[in-house]
DNA sequence: GCGCCCATGTAACTAGTTACATGATTCA
DNA sequence: TGAATCATGTAACTAGTTACATGGGCGC
């Protein structure tokens, strides 16, 4: 089975948690999994139609007042099967493209103050992201059920990954700011 | 000035260190900056032609025995100006897409053994990457000149970023493997 | 004699983003 | 009354990857 767009699997995975509309899926991405995944409307809606055509999801249409008909998608058995096959497959890692680092190593001619600003900005972004994942952790832990339920543990593992990496990034920023102090 | 493909700037940045051919640029990406950047031939060659058309680089052709004419690209003043403008601009961060984490949080129905394998594999990849950056650090430090030269410090900062993030990833893996031990 | 290195490039494809288009409802 | 939310979608674009095509030289 060839791997297709990851959006397909992301949407199937979310629909497997609960049926929802394209709009809801976007919200879920922005609120529930934004620390490690994202999608935009222009990718979600066509992909949902594709899942429907292939019988991996079915749409239930719900009337709403004065708005476009709301299409609530449900994953099918075939969709669950395809999702599961994907979940079992090993993850190949994407080649890195860290623009910040690329700029840094080329920055011999750039004023140190400009470099410092970039690092400070990056630090702030990571502090914000860290705060977000900590909030997410609380949200998961406060869900009904014991904290050693498999699904809860898996979400906590995911959140942990953010914690570790954002903390490391913040430490690197502090380290770097120290080095920059002595640089002209 | 609108930001165009990052490949343009990556190539200009490397050409600013030293003139070279498309083939050399690819090697430089694979060997010198592979921890934070990558390019492939299908992107390099057309982009070089584009830089040439726009007067940001000029090609000097060198005869070789029995091989295609080697085109060695040199950055121009105009190219340096455009590179510098890009270097000064703030870095906007790319929205995250961590496939491993996405899979994990959907893996309630996946055997723990399969999850463990993914984590072990990820740990190995990070250990390898860490070893690579440590080797890179030595290479930089052994270059002629004092270690507090600006360009050296900038490369060390870049390498540090890899150190911090790979170490954090390895710790997360160990943490996760512990959690998986108690999971069914 | 086989495979890797040098050296260029194109075609076809997959993936992802930005901007646009529409329009009612709800809340401050 | 103006902004945010709900709700769908398309068009045009930018970015990036895989596979293909060519072919001599060099080391084992």
């Amino acid at each position: 089975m060839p791997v297709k767009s990851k959006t397909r699997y992301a949407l199937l995975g979310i629909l497997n948690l609960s049926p929802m509309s394209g709009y809801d899926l976007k919200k879920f991405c922005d609120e529930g999994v934004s620390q490690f995944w994202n999608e935009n409307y222009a990718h979600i809606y066509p992909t949902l139609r594709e899942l429907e055509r292939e019988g991996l999801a079915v749409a239930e249409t719900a009337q709403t007042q004065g708005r476009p008909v709301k299409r609530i998608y449900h994953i099918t058995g075939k969709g669950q099967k395809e999702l599961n096959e994907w979940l079992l497959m090993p993850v190949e890692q994407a080649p890195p493209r860290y623009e910040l680092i690329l700029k840094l190593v080329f920055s011999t001619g750039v004023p140190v103050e400009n470099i410092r600003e970039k690092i400070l900005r990056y630090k702030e972004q990571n502090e914000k992201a860290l705060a977000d994942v900590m909030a997410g952790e609380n949200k998961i832990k406060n869900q009904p059920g014991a904290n050693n339920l498999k699904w809860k543990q898996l979400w906590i593992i995911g959140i942990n990954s953010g914690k570790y990496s954002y903390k490391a990034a913040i430490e690197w920023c502090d380290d770097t700011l120290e080095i920059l102090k002595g640089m002209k």
Side-chain angles (χ1 to χ4, degrees), chain A:
Chain A
M1 181 191 60
V3 174
K4 309 202 194 134
S5 147
K6 279 158 199 166
T7 296
R8 291 164 62 88
Y9 301 105
L11 298 187
L12 284 174
I14 300 170
L15 291 179
N16 195 42
L17 300 176
S18 159
M20 61 182 91
S21 67
Y23 189 83
D24 297 332
L25 282 160
K26 170 66 172 152
K27 251 209 313 197
F28 189 92
C29 288
D30 290 348
E31 289 164 16
V33 298
S34 67
Q35 293 312 310
F36 52 88
W37 203 257
N38 78 93
E39 292 294 347
N40 55 53
Y41 288 126
H43 216 171
I44 289 173
Y45 286 114
T47 303
L48 282 172
R49 292 291 181 164
E50 199 185 300
L51 294 177
E52 202 182 7
R53 259 200 321 278
E54 295 174 29
L56 307 177
V58 284
E60 161 207 1
T61 58
Q63 282 303 330
T64 50
Q65 346 63 302
R67 291 191 196 134
V69 168
K70 189 171 173 168
R71 301 173 58 83
I72 295 168
Y73 288 85
H74 297 247
I75 193 168
T76 62
K78 195 177 167 194
Q80 288 181 318
K81 194 166 158 270
E82 184 151 334
L83 171 62
N84 219 263
E85 277 170 36
W86 177 73
L87 286 173
L88 289 170
M89 282 170 57
V91 176
E92 85 285 11
Q93 56 178 12
R97 286 201 130 187
Y98 300 120
E99 194 187 336
L100 176 61
I101 308 300
L102 187 71
K103 275 196 183 177
L104 279 182
V105 301
F106 292 152
S107 290
T108 314
V110 170
V112 173
E113 191 44 38
N114 179 289
I115 301 175
R116 188 195 316 284
E117 273 162 29
K118 291 196 186 95
I119 304 295
L120 284 172
R121 180 145 177 258
Y122 185 63
K123 188 180 171 189
E124 273 164 35
Q125 289 165 342
N126 277 280
E127 281 168 339
K128 163 129 191 12
L130 183 58
D132 284 354
V133 293
M134 301 303 262
E137 188 177 18
N138 281 325
K139 228 169 77 185
I140 295 290
K141 287 190 171 161
N142 289 330
Q143 294 280 316
N147 279 343
N148 66 355
L149 287 172
K150 189 172 179 183
W151 74 265
K152 269 202 190 189
Q153 286 186 303
L154 289 171
W155 277 87
I156 294 198
I157 286 171
I159 284 165
N160 264 339
S161 136
K163 266 207 251 183
Y164 273 102
S165 72
Y166 298 132
K167 276 184 187 166
I170 292 165
E171 281 171 42
W172 172 77
C173 288
D174 288 334
D175 225 38
T176 300
L177 290 168
E178 272 310 307
I179 298 176
L180 291 180
K181 274 186 193 166
M183 205 186 282
K184 277 180 227 87

